[in-house]
Structures are given as C-alpha cells and as structure tokens.
Amino acid sequence: RSRGSLSIWERNMAEAFIALGSNLGNREDEIIRAIREVNALPRTRVTGISRFYSNPPMGPQDQPDYLNGAVRIETALSPLSLLDALQGIEKSHGRVKTRRWGERCIDLDIALYGEESISSERLTVPHLGIEARDFVLRPLMDIDPSLTLPSGEKISELLSKLDQSSLTEAPFPQFSLE
Ligand code: ROI
C-alpha cells in the first residue's frame, strides 16, 4: 500500500477532540485563530470542525456568553505534549487567569484522546464533566454522531438527556485553515 493509504494507527497517530470556548474579545476570531494554530502544531492536523454555538456561562453568571465549538485532530503528540501545545496557544492569545470558572479569551481543552482515560495532576481525559456539558457534546456530535466515551457511553445518548435549549447555533463562518 502507498504511504497515503496507511491508517492513522499505522502512522502512530491518535484521533483526539479539542473543545474550544471564548467569551472575551471577538469570540469568533479567537476561535478561528486557535483552530488554525492547532492545525499548525507539529505532527498534527485538523480533520473536522463543528458548528459554533453561543450559550450562557456555566459558573459565575456575571460574565459574557460563550461561543463554543470543537475540532477533531489527528496527532502524533502525546496527551501531555498536546496539553503543553494547547496551553502555549492560550498564552499567545493573551489569556490571563482571573477567577475560577471566570471569563477567558480562549479555552482549549482535550475533550477526548483516542480511547484513553487519563487521570493525572495536570490532565483529565475525557474532559471533567463532559457528560453534563451540552456546549461540548453538541459540537462533538456535529463532527461524529457515532462518537462514544471510553466508558462506552454514546455522546448522542448523553446529549439527549440534556436540555440543549440554551445553545444558539451561530452562522458558520467562512475561513480556511491556512
Ligand atoms: N460555560 C460555557 N457556556 N462555555 C464554556 O466553554 C465554559 N467554560 C468554562 C466554564 C467557566 C466552566 N464555563 C463555561 O471553563
């Protein structure tokens, strides 16, 4: 077989999903720029992009609404290398720590990494609380409706138990990954 038809496993790549959120500045620009930066990471490419959803904050209510989305990537980065890379992107956007569950110009979380369950000091995968977060599950559904958690739970079933009425689908922006 030609190199081009090797499966992601044969290329030592993993499939992962990154959840994106922004509620400061131009939310859409922040998210689009972050998606481009993720695609430009070493040995990583974006293979799917969700719709974007505007929705009220979970946590302190005295902050602006969020714009949320997700991307699927193929990556040869380990989970912790990927985390380092995502935190580097957050820093480059000028993200500053305010309060717990406070506003941020960009948030990049590893929602899923292959079938892995990770529980370490720096990283929890699947993302903590993913089952209850329609603003993470709904974008994941857009990209892959058959997606399951490592536990075997279907994203579609988790989502059907949630209200989802606070999610407002934003018009999908025209942009390229370059
Ligand atoms: N609330 C919404 N709606 N979207 C987010 O991405 C988000 N991220 C967070 C907290 C502050 C918990 N609330 C959020 O980290």
Side-chain angles (χ1 to χ4, degrees):
R1 256 187 328 174
S2 72
R3 191 194 171 281
S5 68
L6 290 178
S7 74
I8 69 172
W9 304 109
E10 290 167 304
R11 283 181 282 127
N12 299 315
M13 305 286 274
E15 183 175 88
F17 291 82
I18 313 293
L20 302 101
S22 168
N23 76 338
L24 288 182
N26 185 322
R27 305 176 307 166
E28 187 181 279
D29 287 350
E30 292 282 347
I31 287 182
I32 291 171
R33 191 180 131 206
I35 291 173
R36 291 202 181 101
E37 288 163 339
V38 168
N39 189 55
L41 291 175
R43 299 183 295 161
T44 301
R45 66 188 174 102
V46 168
T47 60
I49 303 174
S50 74
R51 299 188 186 95
F52 298 163
Y53 299 88
S54 189
N55 64 111
M58 174 185 173
Q61 294 298 295
D62 60 334
Q63 59 179 317
D65 283 359
Y66 280 78
L67 192 65
N68 284 111
V71 295
R72 180 178 58 205
I73 60 172
E74 270 183 40
T75 185
L77 298 177
S78 69
L80 280 177
S81 298
L82 180 59
L83 178 66
D84 286 336
L86 297 179
Q87 289 181 345
I89 294 174
E90 288 177 346
K91 270 223 177 84
S92 80
H93 283 235
R95 175 165 171 184
V96 284
K97 247 225 159 339
T98 53
R99 50 186 170 159
R100 178 178 136 85
W101 281 15
E103 44 283 314
R104 63 283 306 268
C105 59
I106 192 72
D107 192 20
L108 297 170
D109 291 325
I110 304 174
L112 295 168
Y113 186 101
E115 302 264 279
E116 292 194 38
S117 297
I118 302 165
S119 180
S120 68
E121 202 179 317
R122 284 193 65 203
L123 185 61
T124 304
V125 178
H127 188 261
L128 208 60
I130 191 173
E131 306 85 359
R133 296 188 176 192
D134 53 4
F135 57 83
V136 176
L137 295 177
R138 177 70 231 188
L140 293 181
M141 266 288 278
D142 288 341
I143 302 172
D144 181 357
S146 69
L147 199 60
T148 61
L149 301 186
S151 64
E153 290 174 288
K154 290 187 177 131
I155 297 285
S156 56
E157 281 187 10
L158 293 169
L159 195 57
S160 70
K161 290 182 205 147
L162 302 177
D163 167 2
Q164 280 191 70
S165 62
S166 65
L167 295 179
T168 304
E169 188 183 325
F172 192 77
Q174 202 64 38
F175 70 98
S176 70
L177 281 172
E178 309 309 324

